Structure formats: C-alpha cells, structure tokens
C-alpha cells in the first residue's frame, strides 16, 4: 500500500497479535516518516480549556471565562505544526477526499471514548459544500453522529476563517443556528472540529447548546 501523503510503499503485515485479537485491522495509511512529522499533544501542562500545552488555564481561555462565565473543555490530538498545515491545505483547500483516512481511526477512537449522548460535528456552510463537496469532519468520523442539530445560517459568508487574522476571527458573528432544540436538552454533547485556533467557532456552537439546556459540553479537534 502507498502512503497517502508521499506515495512511498508501506510494507505492513499484521502481527500474530493483531490477528489473534479479532479486532478490525487498521493498516497504517501513511509511512513512518510522514507519521513522525505530526506532533501529538501530550498530557503534561495542558490547559483545561483549550487543551493546548499552555499551563493550567491559558490567557485565551481566561478571556473566554470572563466573557461567557464558562469555558469549554477541548482536547486536540495534534499540534497545528507545518506538517498539519500542509495536510489541511491538501485535504480541505485542495479537496483531496482520500486524505480523510489519514487521521480517521485516531479521531474516531478519541471521539468514541468520550461516551457523549450526542456527537455533533461542526457544520460547513453552503458555499463550502459547493466548493469542497464534503464536510472535512464528518468525512473523518467512522461512528454515529448528528448533523441535523446545528446548521449554518442561510447566506452566511463567514467561510474563510483560515484567511482571517486573530482579531477578525474573534469578531466573527454567530454563523450557526439550532435546528433541533429538543434533542439537546439534558444531553451530554461532544462537538468535533478539525482545528482549534481562537476557539471562536467551537464557542459559537457551544453557546447554542448551552442555551438549549444541554447537560454538559466538550469538544475534540484534530489539531490545535
Ligand atoms: Zn509518507
Ligand atoms: Zn487554553
């Protein structure tokens, strides 16, 4: 099999242990060298808000706490380093749909471990559907999730978060609408997104869930 990122042939044989476990086999989708270019976020020194390695509660999260009176507990798998930026460029902006497989297993595993009542992937708007053709988050998730609870506002043009500066991102107005309030009431919610940058997108979605009376809310992103 070829590495999805660089095309190198991967020689992979399941071990005897893999075969004896009767688990679904997950052959690597990228070679060891590409895999090493991504940096996992360790457990040490994690901010209990954004989950980045910035100490107990980082300045960004302290500002959210002041502004909203609550913070979301986010967990991310990888640092948003150059390799991850390059990956996102190819996957999202060049629309290479095959690349959903690179992190699908790891992301799905972490999402399922949370045992949330509802898994809600952050939706993409009409414009992105038309240009990219797929939601980069749901494409990676190999589990049950709900896409009929939060939608994007019609005519919303707040698409290119990634092209904005930090202050601009933080000023972005609410791009989402709640489609199904009753479903959320008293439930534990897990939001899933690709990248946590300022937190603005996640907090917009989380605010709607809080207003609808969810019991608890957390989020997971692939990178931050
Ligand atoms: Zn490779
Ligand atoms: Zn933080």
């Amino acid at each position: 099999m070829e590495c999805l990122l660089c095309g190198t042939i991967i020689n992979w044989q399941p071990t005897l242990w893999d075969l004896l476990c009767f688990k679904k086999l997950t052959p690597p989708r990228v070679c060891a060298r590409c895999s090493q270019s991504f940096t996992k976020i360790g457990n040490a020194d994690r901010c209990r808000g954004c989950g980045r390695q910035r100490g107990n509660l980082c300045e960004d999260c302290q500002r959210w706490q002041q502004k909203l009176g609550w913070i979301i507990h986010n967990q991310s798998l990888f640092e948003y380093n150059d390799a991850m930026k390059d990956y996102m460029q190819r996957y999202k902006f060049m629309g290479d749909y095959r690349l959903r497989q690179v992190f699908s297993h790891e992301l799905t595993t972490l999402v399922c471990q949370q045992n949330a009542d509802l898994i809600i992937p952050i939706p993409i708007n009409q414009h992105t559907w038309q240009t990219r053709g797929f939601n980069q988050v749901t494409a990676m998730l190999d589990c049950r999730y709900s896409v009929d609870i939060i939608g994007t506002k019609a005519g919303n043009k707040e698409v290119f978060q990634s092209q904005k500066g930090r202050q601009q991102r933080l000023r972005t107005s609410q791009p989402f609408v709640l489609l199904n309030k009753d479903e959320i009431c008293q439930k534990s919610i897990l939001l899933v997104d690709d990248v946590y940058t300022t937190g603005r997108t996640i907090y917009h979605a989380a605010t709607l869930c809080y207003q609808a009376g969810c019991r608890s809310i957390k989020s997971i992103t692939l990178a931050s």
Side-chain angles (χ1 to χ4, degrees):
M1 191 189 300
E2 286 180 9
C3 169
L4 283 169
L5 296 174
C6 73
T8 302
I9 301 291
I10 307 171
N11 291 311
W12 179 78
Q13 294 287 337
T15 61
L16 188 59
W17 177 249
D18 287 333
L19 296 171
L20 287 174
C21 277
F22 296 108
K23 279 196 302 191
K24 197 171 128 191
L25 292 175
T26 47
R29 310 316 307 258
V30 296
C31 69
R33 213 177 59 141
C34 287
S35 175
Q36 280 162 14
S37 62
F38 301 103
T39 308
K40 278 225 166 141
I41 295 180
N43 283 318
D45 206 29
R46 262 192 203 181
C47 166
R48 62 190 162 85
C50 62
R52 292 180 273 208
Q53 283 167 322
R54 293 181 171 186
N56 180 34
L57 189 64
C58 75
E59 276 182 35
D60 286 2
C61 291
Q62 285 176 31
R63 274 195 286 267
W64 285 117
Q65 173 86 58
Q66 271 170 7
K67 187 177 156 80
L68 301 170
W70 50 275
I71 48 163
I72 194 159
H73 299 290
N74 179 69
Q75 201 178 335
S76 304
L77 279 166
F78 295 96
E79 287 179 12
Y80 194 46
N81 64 5
D82 287 344
M84 188 55 84
K85 282 178 194 160
D86 185 51
Y87 166 79
M88 288 294 174
Q89 180 67 27
R90 289 172 63 182
Y91 176 43
K92 282 168 69 173
F93 302 111
M94 291 160 73
D96 189 343
Y97 187 62
R98 293 174 315 149
L99 299 189
R100 73 194 186 285
Q101 300 168 35
V102 175
F103 298 109
S104 173
H105 179 68
E106 269 172 290
L107 185 67
T108 303
T109 303
L110 185 63
V111 163
C112 292
Q113 280 168 359
Q114 312 305 312
N115 287 318
D117 295 330
L118 287 176
I119 295 164
I120 304 181
I122 296 294
I124 56 170
N125 64 22
Q126 209 56 42
H127 177 83
T128 309
W129 273 117
Q130 280 159 9
T131 49
R132 187 178 305 150
F134 61 92
N135 177 325
Q136 69 276 7
V137 180
T138 60
M140 285 191 280
L141 287 179
D142 190 13
C143 60
R144 188 195 292 259
Y145 52 79
S146 308
V147 287
D148 53 353
I149 293 177
I150 294 179
T152 55
K153 280 183 183 164
N156 161 49
K157 285 275 193 291
E158 300 280 6
V159 256
F160 301 115
Q161 279 274 25
S162 53
Q163 293 175 6
K164 292 181 183 172
R166 183 183 159 74
Q167 287 311 316
Q168 254 184 312
R169 285 176 190 232
L170 285 169
R171 279 197 301 270
T172 307
S173 59
Q174 176 64 271
F176 304 123
V177 279
L178 205 55
L179 305 174
N180 195 338
K181 188 170 184 247
D182 298 340
E183 267 295 304
I184 283 188
C185 198
Q186 293 301 316
K187 299 263 175 66
S188 61
I189 310 290
L190 180 68
L191 299 170
V192 189
D193 204 1
D194 50 2
V195 185
Y196 185 109
T197 312
T198 59
R200 183 63 278 185
T201 305
I202 290 273
Y203 274 98
H204 271 318
T207 300
L208 290 181
C209 296
Y210 262 121
Q211 287 167 351
C214 70
R215 190 174 76 238
S216 64
I217 188 155
K218 289 194 282 194
S219 65
I220 282 179
T221 63
L222 176 64
S224 69

